């Protein structure tokens, strides 16, 4: 998918570059507006229709099956998470492999960023943490090991110290 995106981007950049080059090399050419306007308007209408059709097709292709329903695994348990300057307070810090945990996160003071890091220190789930709101994020634990919760929103001098451990076995 990544290499396809790169190839497509390269092709599109070349197309844009070719169009600009064509415009640039033709700016000195003198033509009667009455001669070129009808053709240009026709081309614009055609491009608009083509872009609309392509847009609808891409939307249809990428939104079916609806991604949100696919990402909805059965939640087995929920854990309450309270954030404050500068610590995480979790109602439980352990889970079993295969469990789908719904983290319900809120803040006692300012905005924080809840980021769940896997054993390889890659972010596997994240959600904004806000006072007076409970935001939810679900994650299915498939790998055992030591997970960590780090704050991803600058929240004061000890922001970097907002770390909690979460164990999965
Ligand atoms: Cu909490 Cu940064």
């Amino acid at each position: 998918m990544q290499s396809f995106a790169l190839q497509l981007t390269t092709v599109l950049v070349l197309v844009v570059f070719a169009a600009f080059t064509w415009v640039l090399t033709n700016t000195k050419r003198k033509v009667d507006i009455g001669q070129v306007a009808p053709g240009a308007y026709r081309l614009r209408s055609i491009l608009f229709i083509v872009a609309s059709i392509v847009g609808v097709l891409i939307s249809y292709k990428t939104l079916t099956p609806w991604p949100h329903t696919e990402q909805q695994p059965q939640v087995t348990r929920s854990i309450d998470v309270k954030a404050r300057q500068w610590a995480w307070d979790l109602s439980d810090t352990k889970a079993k492999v295969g469990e789908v945990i719904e983290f319900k996160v809120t803040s006692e003071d300012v905005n924080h960023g809840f980021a769940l890091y896997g054993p390889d220190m890659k972010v596997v789930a994240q959600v904004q943490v806000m006072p007076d709101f409970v935001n939810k994020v679900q994650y299915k634990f498939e790998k055992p090991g030591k997970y960590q919760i780090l704050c991803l929103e600058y929240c004061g001098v000890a922001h970097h110290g907002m770390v909690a451990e979460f164990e999965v076995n």
Side-chain angles (χ1 to χ4, degrees):
M1 192 65 202
Q2 287 295 316
S3 66
F4 171 71
L6 181 67
Q7 284 163 11
L8 184 66
T9 308
T10 310
V11 169
L12 291 177
V13 165
L14 288 175
V15 168
V16 170
F17 181 74
F20 270 90
T21 311
W22 184 83
V23 170
L24 205 65
T25 51
N26 282 281
T27 46
K28 292 276 179 335
R29 206 158 53 101
K30 291 228 186 309
V31 210
D32 181 32
I33 185 75
Q35 272 185 334
V36 289
Y41 285 139
R42 205 175 317 116
L43 180 64
R44 187 173 69 175
S45 302
I46 292 169
L47 285 178
F48 176 74
I49 292 166
V50 168
S52 302
I53 292 171
V54 168
V56 168
L57 287 179
I58 288 176
S59 303
Y60 179 77
K61 186 86 182 116
T62 54
L63 290 176
T64 51
W66 190 241
H68 298 101
T69 50
E70 279 217 328
Q71 288 168 3
Q72 213 113 74
Q74 214 58 31
V75 173
T76 49
R77 201 154 59 89
S78 63
I79 289 177
D80 294 316
V81 181
K82 268 194 216 128
R84 69 184 131 81
Q85 286 163 317
W86 291 277
W88 298 103
D89 184 10
L90 286 91
S91 64
D92 195 357
T93 56
K94 283 184 170 68
K96 289 193 166 51
V97 173
E99 269 196 294
V100 180
I101 303 288
E102 180 172 73
F103 293 94
K104 295 179 175 171
V105 305
T106 189
S107 169
E108 290 178 355
D109 38 46
V110 298
N111 270 25
H112 299 272
F114 174 93
L116 180 67
Y117 284 74
D120 54 358
M121 275 315 275
K122 281 187 183 151
V123 179
V124 294
Q126 75 104 26
V127 70
Q128 188 74 10
V129 189
M130 297 140 83
D132 299 327
F133 279 96
V134 177
N135 286 331
K136 297 170 187 170
V137 64
Q138 300 168 355
Y139 185 69
K140 182 174 185 181
F141 288 95
E142 275 161 350
K143 273 189 239 163
K146 281 223 188 302
Y147 287 66
Q148 287 194 77
I149 293 153
L150 271 69
C151 184
L152 278 194
E153 174 89 37
Y154 182 71
C155 56
V157 286
H159 152 76
H160 61 277
M162 263 186 90
V163 183
E165 294 213 331
F166 196 83
E167 208 181 308
V168 178
N169 42 40

